């Protein structure tokens, strides 16, 4: 069963760039890597998704090396409102072909003034 | 508001009772997911639908849990004979992905917080 591993927590300061790395050694060949953000008492919110190399949108960048066994979410110039839990998501098709979505434990990011 | 809607937002029930939650996805979204989340943990996948077909179900899911999406629109999640361990946030999400697409961009509702006493 594919599994993701992320740091439990990180902290940084306003205006800094933050990089959160997720390892997913058993990612399926055709699966995407997706990152979500979650604030307390709210559902997760999609941030970014990629398959390989680099993807950038208006809020973040996602770096994926050639072996795809890890990915790094990069948040440029963070603000206090970026304090949240960030989840890395990959899928997995087990030996019985039962496909499941596997979420990491999440990284609690705290931004300080 | 055209986002994913869940009802109720909060539910307190006695152990042994049955509960049912409703999820209204974003209109025209093909996929609908159910997750469970406990405090300090990431969401745990329960099941997902592609239109009205339930395509996958967590191998860890108890047979007390059942979900339906009768017309490919709204969905219900029922828990029978609730136990204290069922206390959690139940999240619904929908996405426009098609069958076979391994992408996971989904839009989540606010969740239903279940407390079993």
């Amino acid at each position: 069963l594919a599994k993701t591993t992320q740091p439990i927590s990180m902290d940084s300061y306003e205006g800094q760039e933050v990089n959160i790395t997720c390892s997913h050694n058993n990612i399926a060949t055709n699966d995407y890597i997706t990152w979500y953000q979650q604030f307390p008492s709210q559902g997760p919110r999609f941030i970014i998704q990629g398959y390989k190399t680099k993807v950038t949108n208006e809020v973040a960048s996602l770096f994926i090396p050639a072996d795809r066994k890890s990915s790094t979410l990069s948040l440029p110039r963070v603000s206090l409102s970026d304090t949240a839990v960030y989840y890395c998501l990959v899928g997995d098709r087990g030996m019985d072909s039962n496909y499941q979505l596997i979420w990491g434990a999440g990284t609690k990011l705290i931004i300080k003034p | 508001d055209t986002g994913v809607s869940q009802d109720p937002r909060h539910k307190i029930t006695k152990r042994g009772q049955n509960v049912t939650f409703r999820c209204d996805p974003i209109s025209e979204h093909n996929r609908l997911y159910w997750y469970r989340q406990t405090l300090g943990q990431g969401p745990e996948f329960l099941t997902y639908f592609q239109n009205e077909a339930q395509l996958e179900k967590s191998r860890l899911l108890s047979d007390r849990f059942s979900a339906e999406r009768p017309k490919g629109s709204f969905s219900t999640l029922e828990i029978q004979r609730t136990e204290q361990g069922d206390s959690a946030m139940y999240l619904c999400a929908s996405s426009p992905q098609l069958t076979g697409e391994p992408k996971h961009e989904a839009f989540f509702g606010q969740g239903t917080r279940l407390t079993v006493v």
Side-chain angles (χ1 to χ4, degrees):
Chain A
L1 193 68
K3 181 179 175 181
T4 60
T5 304
Q6 303 174 236
I8 294 173
S9 65
M10 295 178 66
D11 54 20
S12 186
Y13 293 89
E14 282 190 291
Q16 299 295 304
E17 178 185 82
V18 172
N19 296 310
I20 306 173
T21 297
C22 175
S23 68
H24 28 78
N25 292 318
N26 297 323
I27 186 172
T29 302
N30 63 343
D31 204 15
Y32 283 70
I33 299 149
T34 313
W35 285 78
Y36 285 83
Q37 174 192 58
Q38 187 175 28
F39 298 113
S41 299
Q42 293 188 23
R45 184 176 73 102
F46 172 87
I47 301 174
I48 197 167
Q49 181 177 84
Y51 182 79
K52 61 181 180 180
T53 63
K54 177 184 175 182
V55 179
T56 298
N57 63 20
E58 63 276 8
V59 298
S61 294
L62 179 60
F63 298 92
I64 305 169
D67 66 5
R68 301 192 346 111
K69 293 183 184 294
S70 66
S71 59
T72 299
L73 174 72
S74 181
L75 304 172
R77 298 181 298 281
V78 293
S79 64
L80 295 177
S81 63
D82 292 316
T83 294
V85 178
Y86 291 81
Y87 293 99
C88 170
L89 169 65
V90 299
D92 175 63
R93 188 176 298 279
M95 294 180 66
D96 61 357
S97 296
N98 188 18
Y99 190 83
Q100 293 196 12
L101 303 177
I102 308 299
W103 291 63
T107 297
K108 185 172 184 179
L109 176 65
I110 298 173
I111 305 301
K112 302 174 183 178
Chain B
D1 185 349
T2 57
V4 177
S5 176
Q6 292 189 246
D7 183 70
R9 292 292 308 278
H10 303 273
K11 177 72 176 179
I12 300 175
T13 190
K14 291 183 178 180
R15 188 175 53 183
Q17 297 294 304
N18 299 342
V19 294
T20 300
F21 309 141
R22 176 178 171 122
C23 171
D24 287 273
I26 294 173
S27 180
E28 306 300 324
H29 275 191
N30 300 302
R31 286 191 185 176
L32 186 147
Y33 302 86
W34 284 100
Y35 290 89
R36 175 172 61 189
Q37 186 174 28
T38 54
L39 195 62
Q41 301 298 314
E44 176 192 350
F45 170 75
L46 296 180
T47 189
Y48 94 90
F49 293 83
Q50 185 77 30
N51 299 311
E52 68 274 12
Q54 187 173 17
L55 292 188
E56 299 292 344
K57 188 173 177 180
S58 169
R59 57 182 78 97
L60 301 176
L61 193 62
S62 162
D63 57 10
R64 296 185 296 106
F65 288 70
S66 62
E68 294 182 344
R69 194 183 183 196
K71 296 183 179 179
S73 56
F74 74 92
S75 176
T76 57
L77 177 69
E78 181 182 18
I79 308 174
Q80 296 182 327
R81 305 181 302 281
T82 53
E83 302 172 357
Q84 287 188 319
D86 297 331
S87 295
M89 176 76 83
Y90 289 83
L91 293 163
C92 175
S94 70
S95 81
Q97 266 73 40
L98 300 175
T99 302
E101 276 194 320
K103 295 184 176 181
H104 309 304
E105 180 179 357
F107 299 81
F108 282 79
Q110 297 280 56
T112 294
R113 183 167 295 283
L114 173 67
T115 303
V116 182
V117 298

